[in-house]
Amino acid sequence: MEGVKHIVAVASGKGGVGKSTVTVNLALAMAAEGYRVGILDADIYGPSQAQMLGVAEGTRPQAAGENRFKPLEAHGLQAMSMAFMVDTREPMVWRGPMVAGAFQQLLTQTAWDDLDVLFIDMPPGTGDIQLTLAQKVPVNGAVIVTTPQDIALLDARKGIEMFRKVNVPVLGVVENMSLHICSNCGHGEPIFGEGGGERIAEEYETRVLGRLPLTMAIREQVDSGRPTVVAEPDGDVTATFRSMARQIAEQVQGQQTEGPSISFSD
């Protein structure tokens, strides 16, 4: 893809596990590590990255030549989403081929500006958009987001199997909501179970990139358009996101020993 060196898909297979929150914070953490980073919101039916990045309702991208658009910029990221194209209150009542076509346009008609990494916030499931991505662009790897709950792990396995079928390496698993932290007393309790991320990582011979707590602050921060990495740059959760970003960068760069020589920006 023109203007993009590496592409990382963030997927879950299941909705409601915090995938979009993880995606935006991973992208911000990668940018904090010194890389040029973009984020593409691939959820055509329910785009959420506009609000998480604090982009005002009604903000539209500028044209960049014929049938091309400049990505919006927020918190140092380049961003593109269906939310920038339509009224977010209107439902997208589209069949699968139309959704896949809209995603392909967002992907290929955005004038990305010299990105080291483009994170793609995938919608739930293993359908049209996932197949379109695998067929149209070279994806360097996928990050799987899950909670420790057995029901979430069922769909996370499907997500991993899907990427395996299309020869996209799984870079690791993010275990979200691994421990609930009480905002009053600070007590931690694994309300969704324990060890789920580790079990699935071991099963598929990948790694647990990191574990994230279930806290009110993380939810409040993305709802307000200032995700955790921006709101608390020196906090423990941000340190976890930056550790995960470094692991992803290391793996993506390591792939180049067997392929074309591509270097990250200084």
Side-chain angles (χ1 to χ4, degrees):
M1 284 180 56
E2 184 179 353
V4 179
K5 294 185 178 74
H6 302 87
I7 298 174
V8 175
V10 184
S12 63
K14 179 179 179 62
V17 298
K19 170 185 50 59
S20 294
T21 298
V22 169
T23 304
V24 70
N25 277 294
L26 275 178
L28 289 165
M30 186 75 80
E33 291 293 316
Y35 301 117
R36 293 178 60 85
V37 183
I39 186 168
L40 174 63
D41 190 349
D43 194 342
I44 305 299
Y45 290 124
S48 56
Q49 291 297 341
Q51 179 169 337
M52 290 184 173
L53 288 169
V55 177
E57 173 71 29
T59 305
R60 300 288 182 257
Q62 296 180 343
E66 187 176 356
N67 297 322
R68 300 269 286 173
F69 295 93
K70 294 181 181 179
L72 298 183
E73 294 198 10
H75 300 308
L77 299 179
Q78 298 176 39
M80 182 54 71
S81 170
M82 183 58 72
F84 303 155
M85 302 293 187
V86 299
D87 186 338
T88 56
R89 294 169 295 184
E90 293 295 324
M92 307 301 292
V93 189
W94 290 353
R95 295 186 183 276
M98 294 180 65
V99 172
F103 167 65
Q104 186 172 337
Q105 285 184 299
L106 290 179
L107 190 66
T108 60
Q109 294 182 9
T110 301
W112 303 107
D113 184 13
D114 191 27
L115 293 181
D116 292 316
V117 180
L118 175 64
F119 283 94
I120 301 183
D121 182 9
M122 303 297 292
T126 54
D128 293 283
I129 286 181
Q130 286 81 359
L131 289 174
T132 299
L133 177 67
Q135 293 170 349
K136 298 297 182 182
V137 297
V139 181
N140 294 89
V143 173
I144 304 297
V145 181
T146 186
T147 67
Q149 188 178 9
D150 289 343
I151 297 300
L153 294 173
L154 289 174
D155 290 322
R157 287 186 175 90
K158 294 177 183 177
I160 293 175
E161 291 286 359
M162 177 201 68
F163 284 115
R164 281 188 160 191
K165 289 182 183 297
V166 294
N167 296 317
V168 173
V170 174
L171 305 177
V173 175
V174 176
E175 186 180 272
N176 196 23
M177 309 180 197
S178 62
L179 195 70
H180 172 252
I181 306 297
C182 177
S183 57
N184 289 324
C185 68
H187 173 70
E189 186 175 11
I191 60 176
F192 289 117
E194 294 181 273
E198 189 172 287
R199 290 195 301 274
I200 198 170
E202 184 176 347
E203 180 180 346
Y204 286 98
E205 299 181 341
T206 185
R207 69 175 77 179
V208 176
L209 295 169
R211 297 177 177 82
L212 298 165
L214 173 62
T215 68
M216 186 180 296
I218 295 175
R219 192 272 303 165
E220 290 175 340
Q221 288 156 356
V222 292
D223 281 354
S224 69
R226 286 179 56 81
T228 304
V229 173
V230 172
E232 298 182 7
D234 299 319
D236 292 341
V237 174
T238 294
T240 299
F241 276 116
R242 292 189 67 161
S243 170
M244 291 192 285
R246 288 192 294 270
Q247 292 177 69
I248 292 168
E250 178 184 321
Q251 291 187 77
V252 169
Q253 287 176 299
Q255 293 175 2
Q256 303 312 318
T257 59
E258 299 179 1
S261 177
I262 301 176
S263 61
F264 276 42
S265 299
D266 293 333

